[in-house]
Structure formats: C-alpha cells, structure tokens
Amino acid sequence: MTLFSLLIVMALERVTTKSKHFHIATLAEQYFDFLIDKKWLKSDVSMLAVIVLAIIPSLVAYLLIVLLPSLLVFFIQLLVLWVCLGCPVTRQTYKRYLQAAHREDFQACSLHSMSFGNEGGQLSTVGKQLVLVNYRQYASVIIFFIVLGVPGVVFYSLIKEWVLFEKRQSKQSKTMPTESDAQDPDSSQDISEFSELNDQAAEVRPVNDQNTSAAQLLFILDWIPVRITAFGFLIVGHFSNALSAWFEIIIHPNISTYDALAKVSKAAEDVGDCDAHLNEPLQLVKLVKRNIVFMLVALSLMTMVGLVA
C-alpha cells in the first residue's frame, strides 16, 4: 500500500495542477496562526513546544489509521501525501526561471531563484539550491512515509513549516514600515508588494541556518534522510566520483543539510564548468529526478521481500 500510494500521488501531481491553498505550507500556517491567536503558542518557542505542536496532529493521524478501516486509511494516505509532497509555487517559479535563463535574462533569473530560496540571487548556487528544494519537498517526505507512515510525514512537515514560519515572521518584523513610511502612500504600496512576494517565497524557501531550536530539531530529523538521499546520488550518478564526498558527509556529522547535498550531488553529476545559470541546474534536477525513481524502485524491492507493507 505504501508503494501504491506514492505512485498514485506522484502520477496525479504530474497530470494535474495543485492549488497552493491545498498545500502543507498554507494549511500549516493557518494551524500556527490559530495556536498563536488562542495564546497557546508564541512565535519564539522552545524545542519541546515545537515537538508538541507537531506531535498532536501526528497522534490524531495515528489514531485515525489504527481505528479506521483499511480503505479509509488508504484515502488518508493519499490525502496526506497530496498535501505534503511537492510544491506548486516552486514548480511555477522554476519554469519561469528556465524561461528567463533561455533568454539569458540574468536579472530575472536571479529574482526567480530568490523566490525558491536562493538567498542573495547568486546564479552559481541555483543548482545546489534546487537539490535542497527537491529534498525538502520530495525525498525527505518519501523517506519519512516509508519509515514512519502518515504520522511521520505529518510530524516532519509541520516541523519544516514551523522553521519557515519563524523565518517569515522574523523577516516581516524587520520590514515593518516606519511612521514616515506609513504616511507615504507610495511607500506603503511598495512595502505591501514586497511583503506579498516575500510571503510567496517563504512558502518554498528551505532554511539552512541552525539559529533556532526548531531549526536544530529539523537538522536532527534530516540527518539520516540526507545521507540516504545522498547515497542515492551515488547510485544514479558517478559512483566513483561521489563516493569520497559521501564518506566526507558521514564523518562530518555537523555539516549542514544544504552543504551535504550540494557536495555529493555536484560530485555525482560532474557538472564541471558548465553554465551555472542553465546547464548546471538542468543537470542537477535530472539527477534528483533519477534519484526519486531509484527510491521508488528500492521501495518496490522492499515491498516484494516484505520489508514494507
């Protein structure tokens, strides 16, 4: 059932357009806003509080799976995967980025790359950022679903979205208008437009820093899935080239998620001196797509031998 659920959801995602309002980023933000409005939660919380806010919906999902009949459980799996897997905003932004790259409109490329988390807009880091985006939205969700089922996906996704929520709140507090700006209608309009664009970008921006307790928790949750994902890069890419890079991220446990995936993916794909704004992102995206296929093949084998239900 695990393999079947993943195949159905990933096939549907290819042939249909998912609304951003029916995605974990939007739903999680509504959940967080509800808790804050009720004074049950503050924007700056401890790691224990973050675990609690994520584990309550996870326990609800677990109880539903235990108590409901198999057919309903199957539909719950499809629903949760549909909500948590992928991101429509990222897909649209990436398409616009490629269109700008083919036109060699480097300024537009930089702006579009910032929308999917490439902070600073440096074109030399676009490919590595896309690897991280794919991990956050596909590979990590698949791994948690295989190992921990629906409760694991819900827990991980809420932790990930809370880290993004914290960062979004921090950015908004830094861009609050001053008293003089509030009296200037043109300035207020610019700030409003900037905030709207920033909110859209925050929905898909992976966070790499470890400045908060939630980010540290996410780093811990990511540690093993990142190494599994990077191992997949070895299998579907240049094994001999990437093996040393994979061993390096194993013996250095404190390396960030971004750096670990970037190091192994670039070694596995051997991007060399290709165009950083176009060819490198295309090659690395092909690598991560092959890795997703490898994960599904590995899951089918585990299902055949009875390791996965």
Side-chain angles (χ1 to χ4, degrees):
M1 187 180 292
T2 301
L3 176 63
F4 196 36
S5 300
L6 280 170
L7 290 176
I8 290 176
V9 171
M10 296 191 74
L12 286 174
E13 194 189 30
R14 293 295 176 185
V15 299
T16 61
T17 302
K18 185 190 301 184
S19 171
K20 71 175 185 178
H21 300 293
F22 198 64
H23 184 258
I24 184 62
T26 303
L27 299 176
E29 183 173 9
Q30 293 173 354
Y31 172 56
F32 300 149
D33 287 337
F34 171 78
L35 294 178
I36 293 175
D37 290 342
K38 293 293 185 180
K39 309 297 184 182
W40 296 342
L41 192 67
K42 298 184 296 182
S43 57
D44 184 16
V45 296
S46 64
M47 184 180 295
L48 179 59
V50 175
I51 293 174
V52 171
L53 76 87
I55 207 169
I56 292 175
S58 304
L59 288 175
V60 173
Y62 175 77
L63 291 175
L64 290 175
I65 290 173
V66 171
L67 298 176
L68 293 178
S70 300
L71 183 60
L72 291 179
V73 170
F74 176 65
F75 283 110
I76 290 174
Q77 288 182 343
L78 295 179
L79 178 63
V80 171
L81 285 174
W82 179 255
V83 169
C84 297
L85 203 67
C87 181
V89 177
T90 306
R91 178 170 293 182
Q92 294 171 6
T93 306
Y94 177 58
K95 290 180 179 178
R96 296 191 189 105
Y97 173 87
L98 291 180
Q99 292 170 356
H102 283 293
R103 299 193 308 267
E104 295 190 350
D105 186 348
F106 300 128
Q107 184 176 6
C109 286
S110 179
L111 292 173
H112 288 311
S113 72
M114 291 170 64
S115 295
F116 52 72
N118 186 36
E119 296 183 357
Q122 296 294 326
L123 298 183
S124 60
T125 60
V126 169
K128 293 180 286 186
Q129 180 63 30
L130 287 171
V131 172
L132 179 60
V133 169
N134 178 274
Y135 166 77
R136 289 277 193 234
Q137 297 174 0
Y138 289 97
S140 60
V141 176
I142 291 173
I143 292 171
F144 272 91
F145 181 64
I146 294 172
V147 178
L148 298 175
V150 169
V153 172
V154 173
F155 183 82
Y156 174 80
S157 298
L158 287 175
I159 296 296
K160 175 186 66 176
E161 294 303 326
W162 176 257
V163 174
L164 297 174
F165 182 80
E166 279 189 327
K167 189 165 189 177
R168 186 160 57 247
Q169 295 293 103
S170 175
K171 284 183 175 293
Q172 287 177 351
S173 65
K174 292 178 181 179
T175 57
M176 289 295 290
T178 61
E179 183 177 351
S180 59
D181 292 334
Q183 296 173 357
D184 185 350
D186 294 333
S187 176
S188 299
Q189 183 179 359
D190 292 341
I191 292 170
S192 176
E193 292 175 355
F194 174 79
S195 299
E196 183 178 355
L197 291 172
N198 191 59
D199 287 345
Q200 293 175 357
E203 291 181 0
V204 298
R205 177 178 295 124
V207 176
N208 305 318
D209 55 58
Q210 311 298 320
N211 295 329
T212 66
S213 57
Q216 293 171 5
L217 177 59
L218 182 61
F219 174 79
I220 295 170
L221 293 175
D222 276 332
W223 201 93
I224 293 178
V226 163
R227 272 71 188 169
I228 294 174
T229 303
F231 182 77
F233 294 158
L234 271 68
I235 303 300
V236 301
H238 297 287
F239 185 90
S240 58
N241 290 351
L243 184 60
S244 60
W246 187 75
F247 276 124
E248 186 175 346
I249 69 172
I250 293 295
I251 63 178
H252 293 90
N254 293 326
I255 187 172
S256 71
T257 299
Y258 175 87
D259 290 334
L261 292 172
K263 183 181 292 292
V264 179
S265 62
K266 292 200 70 172
E269 193 58 20
D270 193 20
V271 294
D273 298 327
C274 63
D275 295 337
H277 72 283
L278 181 58
N279 290 333
E280 180 179 307
L282 286 174
Q283 290 185 30
L284 291 178
V285 168
K286 289 179 181 178
L287 174 71
V288 297
K289 286 182 177 180
R290 295 199 305 269
N291 193 35
I292 295 300
V293 174
F294 167 71
M295 286 184 173
L296 294 177
V297 171
L299 175 59
S300 66
L301 294 176
M302 290 188 291
T303 304
M304 291 174 60
V305 300
L307 293 177
V308 179

